Amino acid sequence: MIILAFDTAGPALSVAVVDGRRVLSGLHCPLVRGHAELLLPAVAGVLQAAKLRLQDCAAIATTVGPGSFTGLRTGLAAAQGLSLGADKPLVGVSRFEAFAEASGEFGQAAIVVAMDSKARSLYVQAFGPDGTIADGWPAEGLNRAADGFGDIRWPQNAQVIGNGAPALLAHDIPLLDTGRRQLPAAAVAACARLALAAGHKGLPAQPLYLAPPRAIAPKDGGRLRAR
Amino acid sequence: MAVLKDLNVSQIVLGIETSCDETAVACVHSDRTILAQTIHSQLDEHAAFGGVVPEIAARAHLQRLRPLLEKTLADAAIRPEGLSAIAATTGPGLIGGVIVGATMAKALAFAWDKPFIAVNHLEGHALSARLSDDVAFPYLLLLVSGGHCQLLAVAGVGDYRVYGTTLDDALGEAFDKTARVMGLGYPGGPAVERLALGGDSTRFALPRPLSGRAGCDFSFAGLKTAVRQAVERLPAGAADDQDAADLCASFQAACGDILAERCGHAMERFAHEFGTCERLVVAGGVAANQALRGRLRDTAEAFGADLIAPPPALCTDNAAMIAWAGLERFQAGQRDSLDVSPRPRWPLDGADMRLVTPV
């Protein structure tokens, strides 16, 4: 099954076309800004390098978060457009799961995923050795400052992956460092393949919001009182 | 363009608009028929805040756009092969929404192997009267909306000369803030217009910023502040419906005076540059205000010109005008590459407009 996958929600642009476990073609480059400009040309280039057309892909996969607000919008809008245009299913993938998959030991060893939120906090999720969310951890993971994880119950012998790992390890958290910081799109494709194989549709192709919009309604609709 | 028209080749462009608080999709034919259009106005989402909240808008566009695309294509009964190009607002506007619309349009263009056309939202407004009324170039345009207020000469597709623009707030924003301090809800324009009908426009002496000065620029900040101060000066507990009606009428009269004076200057300049000024076109959400339209019609007629205003649904933000602007650009031989930047600011007359690569 050929899957086109990409991730634009972190400090990189990652695109891959995979067939089963085999990566046919891919691109991964550090990129803080410019996803909206480079994503579609990158998709075109990766497909061309694999000598494939969009129609040859069985599904489109992209990440739904947690990640950059604007990056998620770029990735999801592109994925929705490609999915609608090519009439192919769109599979939403959690960046926690994709990172865990990228460790190569998801479902075999305990994995902690730690991502820099770029807002002075870390997005962290823990998975047990069976690949399910570790005991006591919320389904949506945690979003806290790096020094706010002291009271957390960590799975035993867990490995940590993601660009938030150094900040977490600096606070003496008992985790083994995988040394891996990047999320390759091939891992996103792998999660999508597993979801489709299990008969799931994956997550809805909408961002995973961890908080409501940051907006405060003015009192009384902003109406002034006569003095 | 002439060649295509002579051969009677019909073209259809799909347009997407997501630059503020409307998510909109339309299919427009080169014979000026709007084959289908759908729009979701995010009024309910933003009402409690008294204005558009960018983060809420960005979330809503991503949620709404794909279903609207599917419905529009179904309503138009058109297959992708029947489209000539995909156009989307690529700026200026709230960037979270612009990214969603422009990126989805690029993805569709890639999937369908069709040209992508990056449309300036202001150009959509500028050319909307050609879709509704087949207005010939050149013409003078007053663009008045919640985010923009400018006077420009529209000499041709991609050929715009800005005569004047607001130095502070857009007129639509002044309407919204006026409504807000009086507790009239959001959006404020229709509420202010309705209340003004029963009000005394001479009761409150409000300023006409820049009055008597040469040029075509606008300023509304002082007027907005004066409205707020007028509300604060009302006797406590005495603010009643008549106060609100009188203040709305006084505010709207001030707006009419300001528009009339600045448009007068612009028509003189246009006549000087183009030999004559036969048409004043008004577009943008504020152009839906009937009282202001009447005032502008009088102003135009006093100058010997016709006032042309597209129907209200084409004045407020919509995708038909984006599809139409895309179609005009397509017919002029222009195409955009998929690496075009969505941009929060994009002046209509700058060198920036040359983002389009002729082929």
Side-chain angles (χ1 to χ4, degrees), chain B residues 9-353:
Chain B
V9 174
S10 68
Q11 289 150 345
I12 298 169
V13 169
L14 176 69
I16 296 176
E17 159 60 33
T18 56
S19 68
C20 192
D21 61 340
E22 340 271 355
T23 315
V25 182
C27 266
V28 171
H29 192 283
S30 47
D31 69 4
R32 298 175 36 242
T33 309
I34 299 171
L35 300 175
Q37 62 175 330
T38 54
I39 185 162
H40 172 74
S41 293
Q42 303 165 8
L43 292 179
D44 294 344
E45 287 94 321
H46 300 284
F49 301 94
V52 177
V53 181
E55 185 181 346
I56 294 175
R59 290 181 179 215
H61 286 304
L62 188 54
Q63 198 178 357
R64 302 283 181 176
L65 183 52
R66 180 173 175 168
L68 291 186
L69 276 164
E70 289 171 325
K71 180 162 193 326
T72 308
L73 290 167
D75 288 355
I78 186 148
R79 298 176 58 79
E81 306 87 80
L83 295 171
S84 299
I86 319 296
T89 297
T90 309
L94 298 174
I95 194 65
V98 173
I99 282 179
V100 168
T103 304
M104 214 175 292
K106 287 178 184 179
L108 285 171
F110 174 72
W112 291 334
D113 196 19
K114 299 289 179 187
F116 166 67
I117 315 272
V119 172
N120 182 310
H121 176 81
L122 302 174
E123 183 174 37
H125 281 301
L127 300 177
S128 61
R130 289 171 55 77
L131 169 60
S132 63
D133 295 81
D134 204 8
V135 179
F137 294 124
Y139 52 85
L140 179 67
L141 176 82
L142 170 68
L143 170 54
V144 271
S145 68
H148 307 281
C149 186
Q150 47 188 269
L151 274 160
L152 54 148
V154 179
V157 176
D159 187 356
Y160 313 106
R161 296 168 214 176
V162 174
Y163 281 7
T165 185
T166 181
L167 305 177
D168 38 56
D169 301 323
L171 182 52
E173 197 201 330
F175 267 89
D176 284 341
K177 292 290 155 57
T178 292
R180 182 167 144 172
V181 297
M182 286 191 262
L184 302 179
Y186 172 85
V192 170
E193 181 180 3
R194 203 165 46 244
L195 269 183
L197 285 174
D200 173 5
S201 65
T202 62
R203 178 170 157 203
F204 293 93
L206 298 173
R208 274 77 170 148
L210 299 181
S211 178
R213 297 242 215 121
C216 306
D217 285 334
F218 299 91
S219 169
F220 296 103
L223 175 59
K224 204 172 76 175
T225 303
V227 168
R228 181 169 54 75
Q229 289 170 339
V231 172
E232 287 172 344
R233 273 200 296 270
L234 289 170
D240 61 13
D241 291 351
Q242 194 57 48
D243 291 330
D246 291 347
L247 190 49
C248 286
S250 301
F251 167 78
Q252 197 167 264
C255 295
D257 286 350
I258 295 167
L259 291 182
E261 192 205 29
R262 310 323 278 178
C263 286
H265 293 178
M267 284 191 286
E268 282 169 21
R269 179 172 163 186
F270 188 96
H272 181 72
E273 290 179 10
F274 293 89
T276 170
C277 183
E278 294 170 6
R279 291 170 295 268
L280 171 61
V281 173
V282 57
V286 182
N289 182 303
Q290 293 300 321
L292 293 181
R293 269 195 200 205
R295 190 67 203 279
L296 288 167
R297 179 165 289 114
D298 294 345
T299 306
E301 284 172 2
F303 202 86
D306 290 329
L307 180 81
I308 298 167
L314 277 180
C315 279
T316 50
D317 285 353
N318 66 89
M321 71 179 188
I322 302 303
W324 177 258
L327 200 140
E328 294 232 42
R329 286 197 157 259
F330 178 81
Q331 290 183 332
Q334 294 170 332
R335 312 286 185 266
D336 290 292
S337 60
L338 297 180
D339 63 356
V340 164
S341 290
R343 43 178 73 182
R345 292 177 182 277
W346 185 3
L348 202 44
D349 65 341
D352 274 343
M353 200 63 198

Side-chain angles (χ1 to χ4, degrees), chain A residues 17 24-26 42-52:
Chain A
V17 196
L24 301 177
S25 156
V43 165
V46 165
L47 284 169
Q48 193 177 27
K51 296 190 169 58
L52 291 172

